[in-house]
Amino acid sequence: MPEQRSVAITGANGYVGSTLARAFSAAGWRVHPLQRSGPRDARYEFIPYSLADGPARTLPANLSALVHCAYDLRARDASSIERTNVGGTAKLLAAASDVPNVVLISSMSAYAGTSQLYGRTKLACEELVTARGGTSLRLGLVHGGAKGGMIGALQRVAKLPVVPVLKPDSHQFTVHADDMARCVLAAAGQLPIEHRVLGVAHPRAVPFTEIIASLHGTEPVRTVAIASKLLYRGLRVGEAVGVRTGFRADSLLGLMHPAPDVPNVAYWAGQGITLRDFAEAVSEE
């Protein structure tokens, strides 16, 4: 009988991380969540962890894979963001020097030329993982299942009596949570991988207004078009004086200037994995 494979997942209490923890466990992997506090699920073998300090104890021997989801959104300025997230990734990789397969959960916001701090930080983390011989997966806008992450924030916006929409309309590449989990499982369980950076999203660019309409529900959406640059400046001013709206200016920048395409997306078809279009996946929920 083959030995049970094991995976450590940082940020396993977040939207993406918790989805992955469930998927790995369902696939028969032993799951070690790396997070600040212990999970309620007794199946998981918890290891205290923070980006700033790294794992509180030595990682288990014979780990099959490390999936790095954790990202600290509390830092606001560029130096703090880099110190916490890029420095924390370097510290984690050093602690996981014996782990054969490292998968970074990156973002479609990470692309050459991005002006978004989040995207640039993810690019820097990708460089560290590439140098380590790992794989970076650039997730599109993850939707489905629990409503956390960016899709959770957009759902709150979509439920407003009058919904602000960007002018001009933007787009996002999207991926259903179940499809995303299949990709991460495949990447964690396969060595070597042909590409160091892989996009995980359906290649159709989904208009922002289509996403909002889907999240709003069956009633007609009442919208007001707002110039994206004006909204961005307003959020920046609010953040400068300590006003927190629940939606960051840097996140809006990612909606205003999305990635041009999904890198190496054809790889997944070769692995027998279908990435469903947004409309198709929503209709099947």
Side-chain angles (χ1 to χ4, degrees):
M1 183 175 180
E3 183 180 350
Q4 183 182 27
R5 291 183 292 184
S6 59
V7 60
I9 304 175
T10 70
N13 53 341
Y15 173 45
V16 169
S18 60
T19 299
L20 293 178
R22 290 191 297 270
F24 274 95
S25 182
W29 290 60
R30 181 182 298 112
V31 176
H32 299 274
L34 272 64
Q35 57 196 52
R36 289 183 180 275
S37 57
R40 296 178 180 176
D41 195 324
R43 294 174 299 173
Y44 302 154
E45 301 177 28
F46 163 64
I47 299 171
Y49 169 81
S50 71
L51 267 169
D53 300 325
R57 62 174 183 265
T58 303
L59 295 179
N62 301 320
L63 276 176
S64 308
L66 167 68
V67 179
H68 183 28
C69 302
Y71 187 93
D72 193 338
L73 288 167
R74 295 172 299 176
R76 296 288 172 170
D77 62 276
S79 61
S80 297
I81 290 171
E82 180 177 1
R83 181 174 62 253
T84 302
N85 292 290
V86 182
T89 297
K91 187 176 296 185
L92 176 67
L93 293 176
S97 58
D98 294 331
V99 180
N101 199 356
V102 174
V103 178
L104 171 69
I105 300 304
S106 187
S107 167
M108 286 295 297
S109 294
Y111 62 90
T114 182
S115 56
Q116 187 191 30
L117 271 174
Y118 175 73
R120 296 206 305 267
T121 304
K122 284 292 189 182
L123 279 174
C125 293
E126 287 182 6
E127 291 177 3
L128 293 175
V129 171
T130 294
R132 164 68 166 72
T135 304
S136 296
L137 302 183
R138 294 181 183 174
L139 307 190
L141 178 66
V142 181
H143 64 97
K147 294 296 187 292
M150 175 61 77
I151 198 69
L154 292 178
Q155 186 179 47
R156 291 190 291 273
V157 172
K159 296 301 182 182
L160 294 173
V162 179
V163 180
V165 295
L166 301 180
K167 186 176 67 175
D169 197 5
S170 184
H171 71 263
Q172 289 289 293
F173 296 103
T174 65
V175 62
H176 192 276
D178 293 343
D179 300 343
M180 177 273 298
R182 281 190 283 270
C183 292
V184 179
L185 272 163
Q190 180 178 334
L191 282 173
I193 294 177
E194 181 180 354
H195 305 285
R196 288 301 177 201
V197 176
L198 288 160
V200 181
H202 188 277
R204 179 174 78 93
V206 184
F208 180 73
T209 48
E210 180 181 337
I211 296 170
I212 289 296
S214 173
L215 295 173
H216 183 78
T218 56
E219 296 296 323
V221 186
R222 296 177 60 194
T223 63
V224 56
I226 298 178
S228 55
K229 291 183 179 179
L230 181 63
L231 181 57
Y232 174 73
R233 286 197 291 268
L235 288 172
R236 286 292 302 272
V237 169
E239 289 172 358
V241 298
V243 175
R244 299 289 182 259
T245 64
F247 201 91
R248 303 177 67 197
D250 194 56
S251 298
L252 179 64
L253 200 60
L255 297 177
M256 293 165 57
H257 303 292
D261 53 35
V262 184
N264 302 313
V265 68
Y267 173 83
W268 301 114
Q271 301 300 309
I273 298 173
T274 299
L275 296 170
R276 290 169 290 172
D277 177 71
F278 180 74
E280 177 188 0
V282 168
S283 71
E284 293 176 353
E285 288 188 329

